[in-house]
């Protein structure tokens, strides 16, 4: 089997697939307040098109496919896609990223369809604050979704909290305790300056060093460093001694993880994005709709990977994705 390797000798084994750029929440670090998603259905990859692209990536060494959005559970019959992807040889890990608003009624079905684990966004445990951050979200539904995922047997379940100075940074300790109580994992994420909403992200940036200092103060002498798997995401993780919980950080800005980057992104419109922080992309949707054969499309993917940059440049103006909304690129 071929193995996708970029110019910096990084093996690409992880594909993030956005199934929709619509979302039922409007988190201010993810999209501008006046942003409206008006993507036509014809612009979005069908499940059959997604499955074909994933199969080609699997033949090139991809083993992990994460379903994202927007909010992926807004896409009709997401169970069908999970089943289709689970039948592709070589794909052995199909996690889901969701805000969990719609998770509770179908968590058990998703688990049976092969979604063995889930990442859930939750930025506050305070009802009013949560509603403000998400511009109208329902915290009770999120907690119901988390509990349903636990009951379904999904494992691991990871909570993702975007830490924002002056907004929710005072909840780091409470979020750790919430995760420990439910025997699930927690990740704290730095804001990323992408799109116009990135201005807000810079204003509220709370660094990884500050987050880790708070974690260590809350859990003195209880952290055990975890070595990441090759297909793992960018989190730096620690087990919390005498619990079933791990805590970690994702720092795209202050301490980037580019040297171990093993992933690329497929947007709902079929754009293959090589780096979250830069504009290089190709349209795989146009390729498969132009009746290109599988070998030609795989050659196109292999060539694209040769243009994957060494690192993102969030702190410069060089090729940044400055016009995109995070919700549109699998954020």
């Amino acid at each position: 089997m071929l193995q996708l390797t970029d110019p910096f000798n990084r093996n690409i084994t992880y594909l993030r697939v956005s199934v929709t750029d619509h979302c039922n929440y409007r988190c201010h670090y993810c999209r501008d307040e006046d942003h409206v998603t008006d993507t036509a259905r014809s612009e979005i990859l069908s499940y059959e098109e997604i499955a074909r692209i994933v199969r080609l990536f699997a033949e090139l060494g991809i083993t992990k496919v994460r379903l994202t959005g927007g909010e992926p559970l807004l896409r009709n019959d997401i169970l069908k896609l999970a089943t289709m992807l689970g039948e592709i040889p070589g794909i052995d890990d199909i996690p889901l990223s969701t805000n969990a608003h719609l998770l509770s009624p179908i968590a058990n079905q998703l688990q049976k369809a092969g979604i063995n684990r889930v990442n859930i966004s939750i930025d506050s445990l305070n009802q009013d604050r949560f509603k403000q951050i998400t511009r109208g979200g329902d915290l009770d539904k999120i907690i119901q979704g988390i509990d349903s995922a636990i009951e379904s047997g999904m494992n691991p379940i990871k909570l993702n909290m975007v830490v924002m100075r002056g907004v929710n940074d005072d909840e780091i300790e409470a979020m750790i305790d919430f995760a420990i109580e439910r025997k699930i994992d927690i990740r704290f994420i730095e804001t990323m300056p992408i799109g116009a909403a990135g201005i807000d992200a810079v204003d509220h940036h709370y660094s990884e060093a500050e987050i880790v200092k708070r974690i260590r103060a809350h859990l003195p002498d209880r952290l055990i460093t975890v070595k990441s798997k090759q297909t793992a995401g960018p989190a730096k993780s620690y087990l919390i001694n005498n619990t079933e919980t791990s805590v970690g950080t994702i720092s795209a800005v202050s301490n980037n993880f580019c040297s171990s980057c093993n992933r690329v992104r497929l947007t709902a419109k079929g754009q293959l994005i090589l780096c979250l922080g830069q504009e290089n992309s190709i349209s795989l949707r146009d390729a498969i709709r132009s009746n290109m054969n599988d070998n030609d499309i795989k050659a196109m993917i292999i060539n694209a990977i040769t243009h994957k940059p060494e690192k993102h440049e969030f702190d410069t103006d060089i090729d940044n994705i400055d016009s995109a909304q995070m919700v549109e690129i699998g954020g």
Side-chain angles (χ1 to χ4, degrees):
M1 177 188 294
L2 288 171
Q3 174 62 63
L4 285 175
T5 303
D6 74 8
F8 307 97
N9 205 34
R10 297 171 297 196
N11 290 335
I12 310 303
T13 57
Y14 176 9
L15 176 66
R16 295 177 60 99
V17 176
S18 174
V19 300
T20 179
D21 53 12
H22 288 265
C23 189
N24 47 350
Y25 284 5
R26 304 183 62 81
C27 302
H28 55 74
Y29 55 78
C30 193
R31 64 200 296 181
D32 302 335
E33 186 172 6
D34 59 354
H35 174 258
V36 176
T37 301
D38 56 2
T39 305
R41 180 66 186 87
S42 61
E43 296 180 88
I44 299 296
L45 292 172
S46 69
Y47 285 167
E48 290 73 20
E49 289 171 331
I50 292 174
R52 182 184 175 193
I53 290 171
V54 170
R55 175 175 58 80
L56 297 178
F57 269 100
E59 291 171 5
L60 294 171
I62 291 287
T63 60
K64 173 181 175 180
V65 176
R66 178 178 293 280
L67 299 182
T68 73
E71 172 45 50
L73 299 187
L74 286 175
R75 184 83 183 257
N76 290 334
D77 203 10
I78 192 71
L79 295 166
K80 175 183 176 181
L81 178 61
T83 300
M84 292 170 69
L85 298 184
E87 293 172 350
I88 296 174
I91 301 300
D92 57 20
D93 190 9
I94 310 175
L96 172 76
S97 289
T98 175
N99 62 31
H101 184 97
L102 300 171
L103 182 58
S104 183
I106 62 170
N108 194 53
Q109 293 170 279
L110 285 168
Q111 195 275 338
K112 290 180 178 178
I115 304 295
N116 55 322
R117 56 198 187 89
V118 63
N119 287 13
I120 296 172
S121 297
I122 178 170
D123 297 324
S124 177
L125 296 172
N126 176 283
Q127 288 273 11
D128 293 338
R129 182 181 286 176
F130 183 84
K131 183 172 290 189
Q132 181 183 18
I133 292 171
T134 58
R135 298 190 178 112
D138 186 337
L139 180 61
D140 287 340
K141 283 191 175 294
I142 306 313
I143 293 176
Q144 289 169 14
I146 292 168
D147 291 340
S148 294
I150 294 169
E151 292 167 9
S152 77
M154 290 182 180
N155 185 52
I157 297 167
K158 298 178 182 178
L159 306 182
N160 286 338
M161 176 186 178
V162 176
V163 182
M164 294 164 280
R165 187 180 304 279
V167 177
N168 65 351
D169 55 294
D170 59 336
E171 293 193 65
I172 290 173
E173 293 83 1
M175 197 68 75
I176 293 171
D177 294 342
F178 178 86
I180 291 173
E181 179 184 356
R182 282 170 167 74
K183 301 179 180 179
I184 56 180
D185 300 332
I186 176 74
R187 301 288 181 267
F188 297 104
I189 305 174
E190 288 185 340
T191 54
M192 287 183 281
I194 292 177
I199 297 171
D200 185 66
V202 171
D203 289 343
H204 294 295
H205 185 256
Y206 199 87
S207 73
E208 178 190 44
E210 294 172 288
I211 295 169
V212 171
K213 183 177 180 180
R214 293 273 293 278
I215 294 170
R216 291 190 179 280
H218 188 59
L219 302 165
D221 303 318
R222 295 182 62 189
L223 300 181
I224 303 168
T225 302
V226 177
K227 184 176 181 180
S228 297
K229 295 179 181 178
Q230 202 280 327
T231 56
K236 298 176 183 176
S237 299
Y238 308 88
L239 287 174
I240 303 173
N241 195 26
N242 296 322
T243 76
E244 297 181 39
T245 294
S246 71
V247 60
T249 58
I250 298 177
S251 56
V253 178
S254 64
N255 187 20
N256 74 58
F257 39 79
C258 301
S259 63
S260 60
C261 183
N262 63 339
R263 68 204 66 85
V264 290
R265 294 168 179 254
L266 182 68
T267 72
K269 295 180 183 179
Q271 289 293 121
L272 178 64
I273 294 180
L274 305 172
C275 174
L276 189 58
Q278 305 207 3
E279 290 181 339
N280 282 335
S281 66
I282 60 169
S283 177
L284 294 181
R285 181 194 66 190
D286 291 350
I288 61 176
R289 292 183 182 179
S290 67
N291 297 316
M292 287 178 64
N293 65 44
D294 287 356
N295 286 335
D296 286 344
I297 295 174
K298 285 196 287 187
M300 183 179 176
I301 293 169
I302 292 169
N303 181 64
I305 296 301
T306 67
H307 298 284
K308 184 173 171 63
E310 183 178 11
K311 59 183 179 178
H312 55 241
E313 301 283 356
F314 287 136
D315 55 351
T316 78
D317 294 327
I318 302 173
D319 293 331
N320 280 346
I321 303 179
D322 55 8
S323 60
Q325 303 281 331
M326 182 72 87
V327 70
E328 296 176 335
I329 54 177

